[in-house]
Amino acid sequence: MKSKVKAFLDLVKERNGHESEFLQAVEEVAETVIPYIVENDIYYGKNILLRMVEPERVIMFRVCWVDDAGEIQVNRGYRIQMNSAIGPYKGGLRFHPTVNLSILKFLAFEQVFKNSLTTLPMGGGKGGSDFDPKGKSDNEIMRFCHAFMGELFRHIGHNTDVPAGDIGVGAREIGFLFGMYKKISNGFTGVLTGKGMSWGGSLIRPEATGYGTVYFAQKMLETKGQDFEGKSVVISGSGNVAQYAAEKVLQLGGKVLTLSDSSGYIYDADGINAEKLAHVMELKNVKRARINAYLDTYPNAKFVKGKTPWEIGCDIAMPCATQNELHENDAEALLKNGCICVAEGANMPSTKEAVAAFHKAKILFAPGKASNAGGVATSGLEMTQNSLRFKWTRDEVDSKLKDIMGDIHKSCIEYGTDDDGYVDYVRGANIAGFVKVADAMLAQGVV
Ligand SMILES: NC(=O)C1=CN([C@@H]2O[C@H](COP(=O)(O)OP(=O)(O)OC[C@H]3O[C@@H](n4cnc5c(N)ncnc54)[C@H](O)[C@@H]3O)[C@@H](O)[C@H]2O)C=CC1
Ligand SMILES: O=C(O)CCC(=O)C(=O)O
């Protein structure tokens, strides 16, 4: 088996040698899915995985815009249309200076499996730009978004490809992007998700990724007769996913000890309660400040510069910032301090070695493609509401989100339970996500 996986990975490496994040994501899937393919005749010998690692289409384009000083700026825009076997391409847009083909291809590849797990009819895609929103004025953000959509619009559509937000793309950016799409296409359609509530957005979409990650962790804890009540939780990030993960943890009786951004982390031993979290939301979403500004209002907290929060003892860890933010030594520190559950809110935040350490210790570990799928699932629900020209209540959407996270958990158990009863959620998510897409690809022939 090892030689089959190696031969496959060698081939992928030959074609994408310089794309380390993409190769990392492919390797994790290949190691769990190739053994399944070999055992199942219907998938064997059809090169399905080899077809799945090749994007159906990669779009790269120039984005020119004028900054507040009147200077012409040039950025690079991308959209990776990875796989449309089970529905229109669906996945977020990331605006961050680190954005490149490798990062977007890894995200698009993960998205294919994640979207399949949601049970909704969505293919996988991802896009973005190396544009850095940090320090830009609202007008600069608007001009950039309009310029970006000035090219992207010809490649997307409500039945073709439906982008949404990711790092650096929130409600403000979706508004500007939608405004330009509507103007150029002369039509009001559900071409983006994460829209404002008065113009086609879905209730609970802003909360969905964070809430969904906590609902998934709740399901994992239930298998051990545990819950969030009284548990200490270490969260990284302080953006959309981290904020609403923290909110749901608090609602379920947990204690949130940390939040972070790329400058470092804050540790509040008294707990970041609802009032303090509202202050973080104001700092991050309105003032767009750095996380250490928290100490101006809550001086008892500690700011640890340039580090991630995994050295803080906790029962549950939720990495909600970015890829490869939790390394093997971090995993070991978490385990040593008694962590029993890790639920990824971000995409691929744990390195391969960190995941291996969690598996070796047989703790509960949920990969992002399973635990953070609530965001895109609720985007799927936004698409449905747009098609119906109807709006569900907050409780209706939240209850559908809970059901979907429960179903994803069941799929992971179905495909990921080892002989000794330990659930390998990575294998479970990869195989369950693969089966639905592979069946559709087989039915549609070689296209
Ligand atoms: N927004 C969504 O619906 C979904 C987001 N995700 C993933 O969740 C993660 C966070 O995304 P959002 O909260 O939406 O973005 P955001 O832009 O709202 O927040 C990103 C957070 O990550 C931090 N961050 C970014 N780069 C960092 C670095 N190099 N080191 C430390 N912290 C860093 C930022 O300071 C910020 O707190 C990403 O991995 C994203 O792909 C996954 C599923 C859906
Ligand atoms: O809601 C969406 O379409 C995208 C969410 C996303 O980018 C993700 O799941 O990583």
Side-chain angles (χ1 to χ4, degrees), residues 268-282:
D268 189 335
D270 300 330
I272 301 169
N273 60 19
E275 178 205 305
K276 294 173 180 177
L277 181 60
H279 182 63
V280 172
M281 290 183 179
E282 167 83 9

Side-chain angles (χ1 to χ4, degrees), residues 204-227:
I204 297 289
R205 177 63 189 90
E207 295 91 339
T209 310
Y211 278 19
T213 306
V214 176
Y215 292 152
F216 195 91
Q218 224 183 350
K219 285 284 168 199
M220 292 201 295
L221 290 166
E222 261 172 45
T223 66
K224 305 281 177 203
Q226 307 250 19
D227 57 30

Side-chain angles (χ1 to χ4, degrees), residues 109-376:
F109 184 66
E110 293 278 290
Q111 199 80 46
V112 173
F113 291 80
K114 184 194 306 193
N115 293 5
S116 164
L117 283 169
T118 66
T119 71
L120 301 175
M122 300 180 291
K126 201 88 186 191
S129 172
D130 59 1
F131 172 73
D132 186 358
K134 233 180 248 145
K136 303 287 189 302
S137 70
D138 281 353
N139 273 331
E140 288 177 321
I141 298 283
M142 180 182 74
R143 286 197 293 276
F144 175 79
C145 288
H146 284 173
F148 182 84
M149 189 51 90
E151 173 59 32
L152 185 68
F153 87 96
R154 68 186 89 249
H155 308 289
I156 61 176
H158 66 290
N159 285 326
T160 311
D161 184 351
V162 183
D166 188 79
I167 292 179
V169 178
R172 172 182 60 169
E173 291 74 18
I174 292 292
F176 294 145
L177 291 163
F178 186 79
M180 184 50 98
Y181 183 86
K182 181 168 65 64
K183 180 182 166 84
I184 306 175
S185 68
N186 192 26
F188 197 115
T189 64
V191 67
L192 293 166
T193 59
K195 299 186 291 299
M197 296 307 145
S198 61
W199 43 279
S202 173
L203 289 160
I204 297 289
R205 177 63 189 90
E207 295 91 339
T209 310
Y211 278 19
T213 306
V214 176
Y215 292 152
F216 195 91
Q218 224 183 350
K219 285 284 168 199
M220 292 201 295
L221 290 166
E222 261 172 45
T223 66
K224 305 281 177 203
Q226 307 250 19
D227 57 30
F228 270 93
E229 185 67 44
K231 299 272 191 310
S232 53
V233 184
V234 160
I235 298 179
S236 67
S238 49
N240 172 267
V241 180
Q243 290 171 15
Y244 288 106
E247 183 169 284
K248 187 50 76 178
V249 167
L250 294 179
Q251 287 170 10
L252 296 177
K255 182 174 181 184
V256 176
L257 296 177
T258 66
L259 288 169
S260 72
D261 65 18
S262 54
S263 67
Y265 73 89
I266 50 150
Y267 169 45
D268 189 335
D270 300 330
I272 301 169
N273 60 19
E275 178 205 305
K276 294 173 180 177
L277 181 60
H279 182 63
V280 172
M281 290 183 179
E282 167 83 9
L283 282 178
K284 283 289 167 186
N285 307 348
V286 182
K287 298 193 170 138
R288 303 196 187 268
R290 306 305 287 160
I291 196 70
N292 62 347
Y294 181 90
L295 270 66
D296 298 343
T297 311
Y298 304 107
N300 286 343
K302 236 171 77 182
F303 173 64
V304 183
K305 194 174 165 192
K307 291 190 85 178
T308 46
W310 316 122
E311 58 197 4
I312 301 297
C314 64
D315 301 305
I316 298 164
M318 301 185 66
C320 295
T322 192
Q323 66 276 353
N324 292 329
E325 54 159 319
L326 196 164
H327 297 260
E328 187 177 15
N329 58 322
D330 301 318
E332 272 152 15
L334 285 169
L335 292 167
K336 191 168 139 253
N337 289 328
C339 176
I340 56 163
C341 174
V342 178
E344 295 187 333
N347 286 307
M348 208 170 72
S350 311
T351 63
K352 188 174 169 4
E353 295 75 22
V355 176
F358 294 139
H359 279 162
K360 189 162 167 232
K362 293 198 185 278
I363 66 157
L364 299 166
F365 171 74
K369 65 170 78 77
S371 45
N372 74 32
V376 74

Side-chain angles (χ1 to χ4, degrees), residues 3 24 32 78 89-90 100 104 106 112 146 156 223 227 237-238 255 274 284-285 287 331 333 394-395 415 417 432-433:
S3 65
Q24 182 184 341
T32 47
Y78 305 84
Y89 308 106
K90 181 85 194 88
N100 59 31
L104 293 181
F106 115 65
V112 173
H146 284 173
I156 61 176
T223 66
D227 57 30
S238 49
K255 182 174 181 184
K284 283 289 167 186
N285 307 348
K287 298 193 170 138
R394 199 178 155 82
D395 284 349
Y415 289 101
T417 306

